[in-house]
Amino acid sequence: MTGTLPQRLMVIAAHPDDPEFGCAGTVAKWVRQGASAVYVLLTSGDKGCHDPAVRPGEIAGRREAEQRAAAAAIGVQEVVFLRHPDGLLENTLALRRELAGIIRRYRPEVVFTIDPWRRYQLHPDHRAAGMAALDAIISAREWYLFPEQLLDGRQPWRVKEVYLFWTDQPDHWEALSEEDVEARLAALAHHRSQVGARWHELPDRLREGLRRAGQEKNLPYAETFKKLSLG
């Protein structure tokens, strides 16, 4: 973040654990410095299990609980689940309307979301989530788009900056300290349904990835983003 620390930030992602794999070190850092944060998850990850004995509703409930615990571990104040079907997410007009209303309600100065233009991004939910978030950010600032949301004194809202994670065109390196890295790992550890079987190797692998990202800018650790300044 350049300049003044934002007061309010939002992460819009497809699945529980996307924030922890994408930007939780930066979120933890900014929250510790005084920002407030909300996560918006478009699905509850109900397809995130390969055990046929586990029903989708059961895994969805488990993953929502894991995401809430992960968010709380780094001081995120609220997690919003939209509960669209995992694996079938589409960037529809209805989803754009839903997200624009959420942005107008919470009024984040900064939004983190998935880079939908990453080359060979094969996961359709990730592409749809990133594009829906960006479309909603533009819609939320316009008076005559979804005007039914602008009642009881509510105003359009202009997000100032967007940070796209999982990008292959980074132009912003957010420096992380050892404390920030540990906070990201502590949050990720709550996603036991997803990382439990590989937790023995994951911390070292993620730490090395953050270290490599920082080397380009002579930083001990970094998360990388494509940054969009919207004015």
Side-chain angles (χ1 to χ4, degrees):
M1 177 73 184
T2 56
T4 305
L5 181 78
Q7 293 182 337
R8 298 175 302 277
L9 64 93
M10 176 178 287
V11 179
I12 301 175
H15 311 104
D17 80 15
D18 286 353
E20 285 67 44
F21 277 111
C23 60
T26 301
V27 173
K29 172 183 173 180
W30 290 2
V31 167
R32 192 174 63 252
Q33 293 174 351
S36 66
V38 58
Y39 285 175
V40 179
L41 282 302
L42 306 191
T43 83
S44 299
D46 55 273
K47 307 299 192 303
C49 180
H50 300 290
D51 183 351
V54 179
R55 308 305 299 167
E58 180 183 345
I59 190 62
R62 186 187 308 172
R63 295 197 68 186
E64 286 192 9
E66 290 173 345
Q67 182 61 82
R68 289 190 179 97
I74 59 172
V76 173
Q77 285 83 353
E78 188 171 354
V79 182
V80 178
F81 292 98
L82 302 189
R83 299 190 173 103
H84 292 273
D86 187 10
L88 301 174
L89 192 64
E90 296 183 40
N91 178 24
T92 63
L93 185 59
L95 178 56
R96 187 191 310 180
R97 183 192 306 270
E98 189 174 17
L99 286 173
I102 290 170
I103 290 168
R104 286 166 165 172
R105 174 186 172 190
Y106 287 95
R107 307 198 313 166
E109 296 161 277
V110 171
V111 170
F112 293 85
T113 194
I114 301 165
D115 186 347
W117 297 296
R118 178 181 177 178
R119 289 171 296 180
Y120 314 118
Q121 170 58 267
L122 296 181
H123 201 310
D125 284 1
H126 292 165
R127 295 197 306 269
M131 194 61 74
L134 292 167
D135 289 351
I137 286 167
I138 298 302
S139 296
R141 67 189 190 181
E142 300 296 335
W143 271 105
Y144 297 106
L145 290 177
F146 315 131
E148 74 283 357
Q149 297 173 353
L150 302 176
L151 301 174
D152 300 323
R154 184 167 291 176
Q155 302 286 317
W157 180 253
R158 182 178 291 270
V159 173
K160 294 181 174 61
E161 294 179 342
V162 179
Y163 289 73
L164 302 177
F165 58 87
W166 299 339
T167 184
D168 56 8
Q169 299 290 324
D171 58 10
H172 180 84
W173 284 254
E174 188 67 30
L176 301 182
S177 67
E178 184 70 32
E179 183 178 4
D180 303 325
V181 174
E182 288 297 326
R184 176 173 167 175
L185 292 173
L188 185 59
H190 285 282
H191 293 282
R192 301 307 293 179
S193 68
Q194 306 303 302
V195 304
R198 52 196 174 116
W199 186 250
H200 64 285
E201 64 176 30
L202 202 52
D204 288 344
R205 185 155 61 87
L206 288 180
R207 184 182 293 275
E208 180 57 27
L210 295 171
R211 185 179 291 114
R212 287 199 306 270
Q215 284 177 348
E216 186 167 349
K217 299 296 181 179
N218 198 29
L219 300 169
Y221 301 101
E223 288 176 343
T224 59
F225 303 95
K226 180 68 176 180
K227 179 181 172 182
L228 309 178
S229 297
L230 305 183

